[in-house]
Amino acid sequence: MRLPYTTTRGDSVSVRRAFRLASVLALTVSVMALPTLAAQESYEPPRTPSGKPDFQGLWTNASITTLQRSSRYDELVIDPDELAAVTAAHPQNVRQATDDNLEAGELLDGSDLGMGRGYNAFWIDPGSSFGLVKGEYRTSWITEPADGRIPYSEQGQQLRREYRAKFSSNDGPEGRSLGERCLIGFGGTGGPPMLNVLYNNHYRFVQTDDYLMIQVEMNQDARIIPIDGERRPPELQQWLGDAIGWWEGDTLVVETRHLHPQQAGEGQVNLSDEGRVIERFTRYSDDQILYEFEVEDPVYYTQVWRGEMSFNASDSRMYEYACHEGNYGLPGILAGERRAEADAAGQ
């Protein structure tokens, strides 16, 4: 596995500061591994009064592991001997350790924004360790294809380009992203599949015999999944799609179709009317839910692709994500465009 190290400005001070963090991170990930490595196939999950595995509680998928594998890594599984160094060298941990090399009290000149720095490190909470799945630390959630990359078809890539062109304007609020408009969380947090982002990675599971409800911290999305229920009419185009669940032994299987047309082309996972996402939830230990997913869509992809993730028990709290409260970004963007139009008209 390659172990490249880069920082925003690449200075040696940042390197030293980040690697001083390595011992702390190594201890953290080793402690996290203990309950999962002890989990056996004979694990007996807590059960509901009707005898089904109980998923209820607060969980998190916060992690520096991402859906697709970065070019920094050659393999899915991280060698335990390299874990501490790879963890310390990850750009998110470097960013947290160095705060992008900002000096306290120093005014920014805007150059940091060109590198995707909408916030400095104080405002983000992505997690500091790689995802631990079935006792292995992973570089990507995608397990198939083997390269850890989404297998887009040419048609799928063209559809994505067309979507970005349509929803990347400042003409009106409809031209901005769904997360920016506070309609659903950004980055695919609500799913399917449910993915981790820069912050707000908590999920509350509430379960009955007939429904599983997953409250998503990001933008307070809620997935209400009927178990052994019926699909809704396809004319009801819902955010997060139309999902139904059923039990296969101790695993809850959920199939989702018919994403809302605006969601279908946005985010990390696209889905046409011909596509579907299958999710599988299995209690792996007292502290983890094994979350498996597969995406099938002959329009967007050249093959079915699959992934695995863990939802980890959290003793934290879920707070309201008041997206519109103080949301000056959207009116500011639109006001700036109107000013640019007025200036152009006056020339």
Side-chain angles (χ1 to χ4, degrees):
M1 178 175 293
R2 296 191 295 273
L3 301 176
Y5 186 89
T6 58
T7 67
T8 303
R9 298 178 187 174
D11 62 33
S12 59
V13 174
S14 299
V15 174
R16 289 196 300 272
R17 290 176 64 187
F19 273 88
R20 280 199 297 267
L21 195 63
S23 59
V24 176
L25 291 170
L27 177 61
T28 300
V29 297
S30 64
V31 171
M32 287 179 59
L34 292 177
T36 304
L37 292 174
Q40 305 293 327
E41 292 184 1
S42 60
Y43 170 71
E44 177 60 30
R47 295 185 181 273
T48 65
S50 61
K52 299 300 184 184
D54 191 346
F55 298 114
Q56 295 188 100
L58 187 64
W59 307 86
T60 177
N61 61 359
S63 173
I64 54 176
T65 299
T66 53
L67 176 64
Q68 298 194 79
R69 188 169 313 134
S70 168
S71 59
R72 293 189 298 272
Y73 312 112
D74 295 320
E75 299 174 356
L76 172 66
V77 179
I78 301 173
D79 187 322
D81 293 335
E82 299 175 348
L83 178 61
V86 175
T87 302
H90 191 281
Q92 286 289 9
N93 284 333
V94 173
R95 181 179 180 184
Q96 293 297 107
T98 65
D99 201 13
D100 297 332
N101 301 314
L102 299 180
E103 297 293 337
E106 177 184 348
L107 295 178
L108 303 181
D109 60 8
S111 61
D112 58 320
L113 299 181
M115 296 175 286
R117 298 302 190 243
Y119 310 98
N120 61 22
F122 175 83
W123 298 102
I124 65 174
D125 183 27
S128 59
S129 62
F130 284 92
L132 183 65
V133 182
K134 296 190 292 190
E136 300 173 333
Y137 286 96
R138 304 284 181 85
T139 58
S140 68
W141 302 133
I142 292 179
T143 57
E144 184 183 343
D147 64 1
R149 306 294 297 178
I150 297 176
Y152 289 111
S153 64
E154 291 186 11
Q155 182 182 6
Q157 292 283 30
Q158 179 60 31
L159 289 171
R160 284 163 51 82
R161 287 191 290 268
E162 292 174 359
Y163 184 93
R164 285 194 296 269
K166 183 177 180 180
F167 293 100
S168 300
S169 74
N170 301 325
D171 293 340
E174 297 81 3
R176 306 306 303 169
S177 70
L178 299 178
E180 199 172 282
R181 294 159 60 191
C182 299
L183 294 173
I184 59 174
F186 69 85
T189 54
M194 299 179 291
L195 304 173
N196 53 312
V197 289
L198 286 177
Y199 48 72
N200 292 60
N201 291 302
H202 284 92
Y203 296 78
R204 184 177 301 282
F205 286 46
V206 179
Q207 181 181 347
T208 71
D209 288 343
D210 300 317
Y211 291 92
L212 175 67
M213 189 283 290
I214 304 175
Q215 181 186 8
V216 187
E217 185 176 32
M218 180 62 76
N219 205 39
Q220 302 296 285
D221 293 330
R223 300 182 66 189
I224 301 176
I225 302 168
I227 300 174
D228 294 327
E230 296 183 357
R231 290 201 174 277
R232 301 171 180 89
E235 292 78 13
L236 296 179
Q237 297 173 327
Q238 304 177 110
W239 301 117
L240 312 183
D242 177 27
I244 57 171
W246 64 89
W247 290 99
E248 292 183 359
D250 281 346
T251 295
L252 181 64
V253 183
V254 176
E255 181 188 63
T256 302
R257 298 178 180 266
H258 307 306
L259 292 184
H260 189 285
Q262 290 188 49
Q263 182 187 359
E266 187 176 273
Q268 300 188 64
V269 179
N270 310 117
L271 208 66
S272 74
D273 289 341
E274 300 179 40
R276 66 173 186 166
V277 178
I278 298 289
E279 302 162 281
R280 292 179 171 85
F281 299 83
T282 308
R283 284 298 298 258
Y284 187 75
S285 71
D286 287 344
D287 300 306
Q288 283 193 328
I289 295 174
L290 175 62
Y291 176 59
E292 304 166 280
F293 58 86
E294 63 181 61
V295 182
E296 177 183 349
D297 191 329
V299 175
Y300 273 101
Y301 311 111
T302 59
Q303 67 173 82
V304 176
W305 54 279
R306 298 176 174 84
E308 296 176 337
M309 176 191 294
S310 290
F311 281 98
N312 301 292
S314 174
D315 58 3
S316 184
R317 297 177 61 185
M318 181 182 289
Y319 293 91
E320 178 189 7
Y321 188 73
C323 186
H324 273 306
E325 184 176 330
N327 181 16
Y328 56 83
L330 184 58
I333 289 170
L334 300 180
E337 181 68 9
R338 301 294 83 78
R339 176 59 185 267
E341 293 170 351
D343 290 346
Q347 292 178 354

